[in-house]
Amino acid sequence: MSDDLWHFIDGERVAGKSGRTGDVCNPATGEVEKSVPLASADEVRVAIESAAKALPRWAATPPAKRAQVMFNFRALLIEHMDELAHLVSAEHGKTLEDAKGSISRGLEVVEFVCGIPQLLKTDYSEAVAGQVDSYNVRQPVGVCAGITPFNFPAMVPMWMFPVALACGNTFILKPSEKVPSCSLRMAELLIEAGLPKGCLNVVNGDKEAVDTLLDDPTVSAISFVGSTAIGRYIYETGCKNGKRVQALCGAKNHMIIMPDADMDQVVDAAMGAAYGSAGERCMAISVAVTVGEETGDEFIRRLAPRVQALKVGPYTDTAAEMGPVITRESKEKIERYIDEGVGAGAELVVDGRGLNLQGYENGFFVGGTLFDKVTSDMSIYRDEIFGPVLSTVRAQSYEDAKQLVLDHEYGNGTAIFTRDGDTARDFTQSINVGMVGVNVPIPVPVAYHSFGGWKASLFGDHSIHGMEGVRFYTKLKTITARWPSGIKEGAVFNFHAGSDGGH
Ligand code: NAD
């Protein structure tokens, strides 16, 4: 028996009316736990109208007052951390520690926008000509929407709505239908924090809901995080419809291991970066490029037993290092890629297929998988697998290793492990990837910097959160003003006695 979820519109839980629903599973057991309503176009329009109605007052609310709501929300997130982490883990499957870590990263974005009065300050030029001054203001874009993926049910929505709201916009969130509960709960916490009703609406749904957001002229800006195929569609359709769009997409992140790298550090880094969260991270390392035969041999010799020993289990098992993947289709897709890698001639060092956990026989588990001697023509190298599969490519030189990254379709993250400053500097300077680590395997920027890839990993002109987020969610206006020169003796100003017009 599954529980029914809802939409959250105009500050209230609203039951779905479309008659269409989706299953929300516990990936560890394979059981359907909840049923999520999939919104019709009409239901989405109700949410858009609610956001449009709330906009003028919220946009006119002083930034310091909007920041106060964010301060309150921050306190509530901390108070409800355990509850939110359980919601994340129960629907996504990641360990509780991972879930809490991801909520903390979202929390950092909320902390960043607590400083929104300072962040919205702009330039002023006195006397650009004669008695003329010129200055900029950053104003809200309007009604904004966010479409988010399954892999970070709390963090990715928090990359978006806190920044949008703090900038004075209202927001419609369409979370992944696989993990809707955390977004619904955060929307309630925001009401408790003092956000006026209608400023944040959550509509659950699929393509129909997304297409309605893309087509409705009231929606001015769309943030998307998800796969490249859908992101490209959203970017193209949204732009065609005159909206501002940022679409953060798929990835294939390379870690280059130079012969002088600290191998203890490398192996620890590869374990966390390739297998943490079952590889379902857009910044996961999915390719290790070893430079020189000896480096490759040592890497595989030391990594293989660690991958073999990875403890896979449900999030309720506190000893588990890695949980299940999100769906049965996802498990089957990952196992198909492993078959293809074997078929193409890669060396399968650790095989995660066919993992059967006692008591969780129907769970969507895939064991840690390690390939050696992968080449750039193989599908396990080219495609984003989004599972716990690490492909090792042997390169003969730094130049060959770098060329692999330069030539790859994706450009989200990459890392180089070396003790050599020249090599590291050349890499950071010349690589065509958005986020680069030097001896840091997952170089995710902190909240006050911005997150975003290059190439097929991001469509649009703005990365997300940090100042790029503030720029995305505001429109720049430049005002040029001329005032009569001098104050004349006995001049009468048009202030009404008793009004607060002078403040
Ligand atoms: P997805 O593209 O399947 O879904 C993302 C969102 O798009 C969901 O809300 C979904 O309901 C919606 N959607 C799905 N199909 C649609 C369609 N045909 N039309 C309109 N909307 C549709 O992605 P996912 O499987 O949920 O997430 C995994 C992907 O997200 C991976 O590719 C991963 O790399 C990517 N990701 C990227 C980043 C980043 O910052 N670059 C971060 C997290 C995840």
Side-chain angles (χ1 to χ4, degrees), residues 330-404:
S330 181
K331 173 182 159 81
E332 287 166 2
K333 186 184 106 181
I334 294 164
E335 295 191 337
R336 242 184 350 261
Y337 269 114
I338 302 174
D339 295 344
E340 279 179 28
V342 173
E347 197 175 294
L348 185 57
V349 182
V350 183
D351 185 357
R353 290 172 298 184
L355 184 77
N356 203 351
L357 281 187
Q358 212 184 354
Y360 294 92
E361 288 77 5
N362 294 321
F364 313 138
F365 292 97
V366 181
T369 299
L370 177 62
F371 275 111
D372 192 9
K373 309 216 167 95
V374 173
T375 53
S376 58
D377 54 332
M378 297 179 184
S379 63
I380 53 168
Y381 175 78
R382 288 194 318 268
D383 299 350
E384 180 182 48
I385 301 175
F386 224 53
V389 181
L390 180 64
S391 295
T392 309
V393 180
R394 304 281 190 126
Q396 294 316 313
S397 66
Y398 163 67
E399 281 70 28
D400 290 351
K402 184 170 103 174
Q403 199 60 46
L404 283 165

Side-chain angles (χ1 to χ4, degrees), residues 14-36:
V14 177
K17 297 188 190 78
S18 70
R20 291 193 313 123
T21 57
D23 291 341
V24 180
C25 284
N26 175 346
T29 60
E31 296 285 318
V32 176
E33 301 273 351
K34 298 169 197 162
S35 165
V36 63

Side-chain angles (χ1 to χ4, degrees), residues 243-431:
K243 300 183 197 310
R244 186 177 279 195
V245 187
Q246 57 178 181
L248 284 80
C249 298
K252 193 82 181 176
N253 306 313
H254 295 58
M255 168 180 180
I256 293 185
I257 303 157
M258 296 299 294
D260 66 349
D262 176 335
M263 205 44 94
D264 289 334
Q265 194 191 29
V266 164
V267 171
D268 281 348
M271 281 308 295
Y275 303 106
S277 256
E280 290 176 327
R281 291 175 176 149
C282 67
M283 287 294 278
I285 290 290
S286 47
V287 179
V289 186
T290 54
V291 175
E293 281 313 312
E294 273 177 35
T295 314
D297 291 347
E298 194 190 350
F299 178 68
I300 294 291
R301 184 176 58 74
R302 292 178 59 171
L303 187 66
R306 298 267 307 264
V307 181
Q308 198 85 55
L310 250 181
K311 179 134 179 32
V312 183
Y315 82 92
T316 43
D317 175 355
T318 48
E321 296 166 297
M322 190 174 97
V325 297
I326 188 73
T327 55
R328 178 160 291 112
E329 297 74 51
S330 181
K331 173 182 159 81
E332 287 166 2
K333 186 184 106 181
I334 294 164
E335 295 191 337
R336 242 184 350 261
Y337 269 114
I338 302 174
D339 295 344
E340 279 179 28
V342 173
E347 197 175 294
L348 185 57
V349 182
V350 183
D351 185 357
R353 290 172 298 184
L355 184 77
N356 203 351
L357 281 187
Q358 212 184 354
Y360 294 92
E361 288 77 5
N362 294 321
F364 313 138
F365 292 97
V366 181
T369 299
L370 177 62
F371 275 111
D372 192 9
K373 309 216 167 95
V374 173
T375 53
S376 58
D377 54 332
M378 297 179 184
S379 63
I380 53 168
Y381 175 78
R382 288 194 318 268
D383 299 350
E384 180 182 48
I385 301 175
F386 224 53
V389 181
L390 180 64
S391 295
T392 309
V393 180
R394 304 281 190 126
Q396 294 316 313
S397 66
Y398 163 67
E399 281 70 28
D400 290 351
K402 184 170 103 174
Q403 199 60 46
L404 283 165
V405 186
L406 287 171
D407 290 344
H408 206 283
E409 177 191 3
Y410 292 112
N412 213 39
T414 187
I416 188 163
F417 279 71
T418 182
R419 288 186 169 96
D420 183 69
D422 277 353
T423 314
R425 188 162 191 283
D426 175 80
F427 188 70
T428 54
Q429 220 173 22
S430 56
I431 210 65

Side-chain angles (χ1 to χ4, degrees), residues 493-501:
F493 287 93
N494 203 15
F495 290 135
H496 299 290
S499 85
D500 68 349

Side-chain angles (χ1 to χ4, degrees), residues 148-151 174 177 224-227 230 249-250 282 384 386 451:
T148 54
F150 78 83
N151 65 328
K174 205 301 287 171
E177 61 276 37
F224 169 86
V225 177
S227 62
I230 309 296
C249 298
C282 67
E384 180 182 48
F386 224 53
F451 184 109

